[in-house]
Amino acid sequence: DIVMTQTPLSSPVTLGQPASISCRSSQSLVHSDGNTYLSWLQQRPGQPPRLLIYKISNRFSGVPDRFSGSGAGTDFTLKISRVEAEDVGVYYCMQTAQLPLTFGGGTKVEIK
Amino acid sequence: QVHLQQSGPGLVKPSQTLSLTCAISGDSVSSNNAVWSWIRQSPSRGLEWLGRTYYRSKWYNDYAASVKSRITINPDTSKNQFSLQLNSVTPEDTAVYFCARWGAGWAFDFWGQGNLVIVSS
């Protein structure tokens, strides 16, 4: 199984300041079709996860442009350019390149 | 817009069967462009993918090794929904269970609201 490792576990951020979350996979997420299937999810308290980013850097419909994804191979990053109060929650990376699908352990974004 | 509505009991006795249903609106369980999955979340295991069903000229299923001997995911085309059955449950199966659509971007783009299922006598 592909292990997804996220850092940090927690990220206290001042409103309006940037935040960055790292995700590392134990194997390359490049699929045989040439695409890299790494996505980012946001989970607010009491809510199901919500898709933010797919295939490393593509924002899902309705996701604000302050969210961006980057990376390649086994190392990926989610950045929030200016954190807003509604961004509080837990962020997960996940891979859909290979079965079984696996998730990172999560990074909690909170306001200082 | 796709909407997934989950239903099922919140309490299951040990050794019995956990059954949940996910009703789909805005898409078809028989779509050639979607894959339908069950995922669970617990403090001890985090987010855990359980399995999927999808139609590509015929029906396919894949399951996580951790539950493969106990799980069945079935589509119901007449009601446009899919279901999860997990047999011989133990307290370790206590979790919030989600259904989700794996869409064209190869990511889980729509999720059900979640069901907390507690396994206890």
Side-chain angles (χ1 to χ4, degrees):
Chain A
D1 299 3
I2 296 178
V3 177
M4 306 296 288
T5 303
Q6 286 182 235
T7 54
L9 290 179
S10 176
S11 179
V13 185
T14 301
L15 286 173
Q17 293 301 302
S20 181
I21 300 169
S22 295
C23 175
R24 177 167 289 177
S25 57
S26 61
Q27 301 173 36
S28 171
L29 301 185
V30 180
H31 191 267
S32 56
D33 66 5
N35 288 302
T36 301
Y37 292 114
L38 182 282
S39 54
W40 290 96
L41 305 165
Q42 174 198 60
Q43 188 173 30
R44 293 172 173 147
Q47 298 289 318
R50 165 199 178 200
L51 178 64
L52 296 177
I53 302 283
Y54 63 96
K55 288 196 287 186
I56 303 178
S57 59
N58 295 272
R59 270 189 304 275
F60 186 56
S61 175
V63 174
D65 61 8
R66 65 180 180 273
F67 291 94
S68 64
S70 63
T74 61
D75 286 283
F76 307 94
T77 302
L78 175 71
K79 291 184 179 176
I80 311 173
S81 59
R82 294 172 305 279
V83 172
E84 299 189 5
E86 67 179 16
D87 300 335
V88 165
V90 182
Y91 291 76
Y92 297 93
C93 60
M94 75 164 298
Q95 66 84 17
T96 51
Q98 181 184 121
L99 294 184
L101 310 182
T102 49
F103 297 83
T107 295
K108 187 174 186 178
V109 171
E110 51 194 358
I111 305 301
K112 278 184 187 175
Chain B
Q1 182 79 341
V2 176
H3 182 71
L4 304 179
Q5 182 67 41
Q6 299 178 220
S7 59
L11 181 64
V12 181
K13 289 181 167 43
S15 80
Q16 295 193 342
T17 297
L18 181 161
S19 296
L20 296 173
T21 299
C22 182
I24 303 163
S25 56
D27 199 351
S28 169
V29 71
S30 305
S31 168
N32 277 294
N33 299 310
V35 176
W36 306 96
S37 277
W38 287 97
I39 296 150
R40 67 183 177 183
Q41 184 175 32
S42 64
S44 59
R45 302 169 81 113
L47 286 162
E48 180 185 14
W49 175 78
L50 299 176
R52 66 181 184 178
T53 189
Y54 60 101
Y55 185 78
R56 300 290 185 271
S57 303
K58 68 174 186 176
W59 288 101
Y60 294 87
N61 287 289
D62 295 290
Y63 301 124
S66 60
V67 294
K68 192 169 186 176
S69 63
R70 303 190 290 130
I71 190 173
T72 304
I73 296 176
N74 279 326
D76 182 343
T77 57
S78 66
K79 295 181 179 178
N80 200 30
Q81 63 187 28
F82 63 108
S83 63
L84 167 70
Q85 289 196 4
L86 189 64
N87 302 325
S88 306
V89 296
T90 72
E92 285 66 46
D93 293 309
T94 293
V96 177
Y97 287 75
F98 297 100
C99 61
R101 186 185 86 159
W102 180 352
W106 277 50
F108 288 117
D109 52 7
F110 293 98
W111 293 68
Q113 79 276 20
N115 281 93
L116 172 61
V117 179
I118 297 172
V119 179
S120 175
S121 54

